[in-house]
Structures are given as C-alpha cells and as structure tokens.
Amino acid sequence: MNVQRRKIGDREVYPVGLGCMNICHAYGPPLPEDEARALLVKAFDLGYDFFDTATLYGFGRSEELIGEALGAHRQDLFLASKCVLGFRDGKRILDGRPEVIKAACEASLKRLKTDVIDLYYLHRPDPNVPIEDSVGALADLVSEGKIRFAGLSEMGAEQLRRGAAVHPITAMQSEYSLWVRNPEIAVMQACEELGTALVAFSPVGRGFLADPPADPATFHETDMRLSIFPRFKAENYAGNLPLLDAAKAMAEEVGCSVAELAIAWTLAKGPNVLPIPGTTNLKHLEENFRAAEVTLTSDQVARLDAHFAPERAVGPRYNAMGQASVTTEMYDFERADG
C-alpha cells in the first residue's frame, strides 16, 4: 500500500514516528542496550524515519543509543529531541533559561552524533522563565544552524501563541489518544491556525489501547504508570476497561488490531497530526508501523469519538504533581477528580 507521507517543517516523513522514551526508562527497567540498538535499526529498516527523543530519557542515554545505532543513516532521518527537562549530577532538573537551553543543545548534538537537530522542543514550560525567553533561545539556535525547527511540548494554546509570536513553532507535542482528548479543548485549533504540526505521544494510551491492554498488576515496581497516571490505579483501571469493548469490536470491523485502530484514529484527526508510539517489542514496532495503512471512515471516527467521549474516562490524566508541570488544558471532570 502506498502510504501518504506527512509534512513537518519542510520535510515529509512516514506518518507514524517512533517515540524513544521507554527504551531507556519510564515503564520499568530499560532494554538491554544491544536490544535497544537492534530495535532502532529494525525501526529504520521497516521504514520509520521520524525518531523522537529527549535529553531526559535515560539521562541522555536514549540520544546516545540513537547516535550509535543510526548515525550512519543520519541524512535519512528526521531527528527530534527536547530540552528544559534535563539532568544535573544524575538528578532531574527543570530549567528554561536561554543559556541552559543552548548548553543542553550542545550536549544533545554530541550524544546524537550530529551537527544539527531537525526539531528541538521545550519539553515542559519553566514557570520561572517567560516562554518568550525560552523560545528566543530556540530562535538563536536556528540562526546558528544548531537546530532546524522549534517545538513545544505539553503546553496550552496560550503559550503556543505566545511562543509563535517570537519564532515559528513547527510542532506541538501533546499526549493525544482515544483515551486522552485534551488537545481538542484548544491546542488543536491553535495548531491549525498557526500551521503547527501536532505530534501525538502515547497514541496507544500508554498501553491501555493494546490488545490485551497493559495490566497494572503486571507492571514493574519502577513503572511510572503506577505513580503518576491515576487511570492505572486499580479502582480507576477497572472502570476504564469497559471502554475497550467498542474498540475491540471496531478493530474487528476494520480488520486491524486495537493498537492499529488507536493510531489510525489519531491520523484521521487531521493531516497535521503525527503519532509517535513507543515500544520495546519488535512485534508491536511492526504493528504500529502498519497503522498508517489503516483507513477509517468518517462514520467510524465519529463512533469512536462518541464512545471515547472525554468524560467517560475514569480518573484524571496526571496526578497533581504531573499536572503541575504542564499547561495543557484540562477538562472540568479532571479538575474535580484531581
């Protein structure tokens, strides 16, 4: 099947990219490094060309693995990384000062083994630094040829517009899936107005929209889904499981897996939407890639929209600590539960 590529900046990429967080941390122990490199090479061989990482992932190790595994193919890749959320002396930090952003970029360039990063995001807003100052640093990095495009992550429409007034924002990265619809409140409209791509992370609902769905009872004790994401708490998770019945029925109707359906739904939400599912599983890597071949009718999309209406989710997206670090708009029911 001939898959229509999607534009990000001045590049056209395969519609489904690869999020490179959980090869190093987040959902339990990291992959053994030889397996992580093999997964990255397999992704490239399949046809993935948009790889999304961050300074924070594995405290820089995700970037290094990409540089090691795919450095020889640099000209064929669209590389994205992130700053502001970083690390110092082995501890997580949040620092959006221009000089810190520029130093972080230099370090990322070395780890990625490249002279330029295609897309460089502010990973989170720094409440102590005006967004205009942080985006100004990205503008300087573009002028210096260190990065090609500027991006924001987990921010609301107001900050997107404020940032875009300083320098064009090529992409906004937000969590977006059938289970997490928050960008529909305001961010998607702002992206459309500004010509900004929406890079949808966790389009498979952090594993919830898989078949079988991720089961909290099997999570490793270090899996951050147990501590940061209330929808995976036992009582909330049980309340969310019935949502999957319609997804399974629709997947059977379409002739695909639930994960493919979930990714295809994000793709159906607009030509500027680019999902970046992450995985440590080679079978899932192939499955996610195939999702770009799944076409949903407008009726199927509308039925999924209705069944996964935001208020039907049980529990807020983040706990209080997680929510405090983002400015993405919230639904009223999340405020009540938070």
Side-chain angles (χ1 to χ4, degrees):
M1 180 176 178
N2 185 26
V3 172
Q4 184 72 37
R5 296 171 72 80
R6 298 203 167 188
K7 194 167 185 180
I8 184 164
D10 62 358
R11 289 280 298 276
E12 289 187 346
V13 299
Y14 191 78
V16 179
L18 181 64
C20 299
M21 176 181 73
N22 57 342
I23 61 172
C24 283
H25 84 269
Y27 300 156
L31 273 181
E33 293 194 346
D34 57 340
E35 293 182 24
R37 282 187 286 265
L39 183 138
L40 291 166
V41 170
K42 177 64 174 178
F44 177 78
D45 289 344
L46 283 170
Y48 284 94
D49 55 4
F50 178 13
F51 291 78
D52 187 286
T53 184
T55 293
L56 184 66
Y57 301 163
F59 291 154
R61 191 57 186 144
S62 175
E63 291 178 321
E64 290 174 342
L65 288 167
I66 290 171
E68 293 166 10
L70 301 176
H73 305 292
R74 176 65 186 95
Q75 297 307 310
D76 300 314
L77 306 178
F78 188 88
L79 285 183
S81 193
K82 309 178 194 73
C83 57
V84 179
L85 265 185
F87 60 94
R88 188 179 295 135
D89 299 326
K91 295 182 179 179
R92 170 174 161 153
I93 61 167
L94 174 70
D95 198 329
R97 291 175 295 169
E99 63 272 23
V100 174
I101 288 171
K102 292 177 181 181
C105 181
E106 294 290 349
S108 288
L109 287 166
K110 291 177 182 175
R111 288 190 291 263
L112 288 164
K113 300 185 186 298
T114 186
D115 296 325
V116 60
I117 298 170
D118 295 301
L119 173 61
Y120 201 49
Y121 300 93
L122 305 179
H123 202 160
R124 291 287 190 278
D126 182 342
N128 299 313
V129 179
I131 188 70
E132 291 82 358
D133 292 356
S134 296
V135 172
L138 297 183
D140 290 345
L141 290 169
V142 172
S143 297
E144 295 165 10
K146 303 289 179 64
I147 69 175
R148 300 186 64 232
F149 302 110
L152 304 179
S153 176
E154 285 283 66
M155 299 190 201
E158 179 191 2
Q159 284 183 306
L160 172 55
R161 290 194 171 93
R162 286 171 54 192
V166 175
H167 185 84
I169 302 300
T170 295
M172 169 66 84
Q173 185 167 140
S174 293
E175 183 174 6
Y176 188 43
S177 70
L178 286 164
W179 206 27
V180 174
R181 305 276 290 277
N182 299 67
E184 295 177 4
I185 300 171
V187 164
M188 292 186 77
Q189 181 178 341
C191 284
E192 290 173 10
E193 292 173 6
L194 296 167
T196 298
L198 179 72
V199 176
F201 76 85
S202 297
V204 188
R206 302 183 187 275
F208 176 72
L209 296 165
D211 192 8
D215 181 357
T218 68
F219 291 172
H220 188 271
E221 61 183 6
T222 62
D223 193 314
M224 70 180 189
R225 288 173 291 188
L226 293 173
S227 58
I228 299 176
F229 307 109
R231 292 181 190 178
F232 285 100
K233 287 185 176 179
E235 63 275 19
N236 291 339
Y237 184 77
N240 279 300
L241 279 177
L243 288 171
L244 294 178
D245 294 340
K248 292 174 182 176
M250 179 74 73
E252 186 172 341
E253 176 183 321
V254 174
C256 66
S257 70
V258 173
E260 288 173 302
L261 180 79
I263 295 169
W265 176 88
T266 66
L267 290 168
K269 284 298 175 172
N272 68 324
V273 180
L274 295 97
I276 51 164
T279 187
T280 59
N281 182 296
L282 292 176
K283 177 179 175 291
H284 294 167
L285 185 74
E286 296 177 358
E287 182 180 17
N288 295 343
F289 188 79
R290 288 195 306 268
E293 301 176 4
V294 177
T295 301
L296 303 179
T297 66
S298 57
D299 174 69
Q300 288 167 336
V301 172
R303 284 154 56 197
L304 287 168
D305 284 353
H307 185 76
F308 282 89
E311 64 274 12
R312 297 193 68 187
V314 180
R317 178 168 76 107
Y318 279 129
N319 66 5
M321 181 187 73
Q323 186 61 45
S325 70
V326 306
T327 55
T328 311
E329 291 79 7
M330 298 172 67
Y331 289 101
D332 288 341
F333 78 90
E334 292 181 290
R335 298 179 194 280
D337 290 352

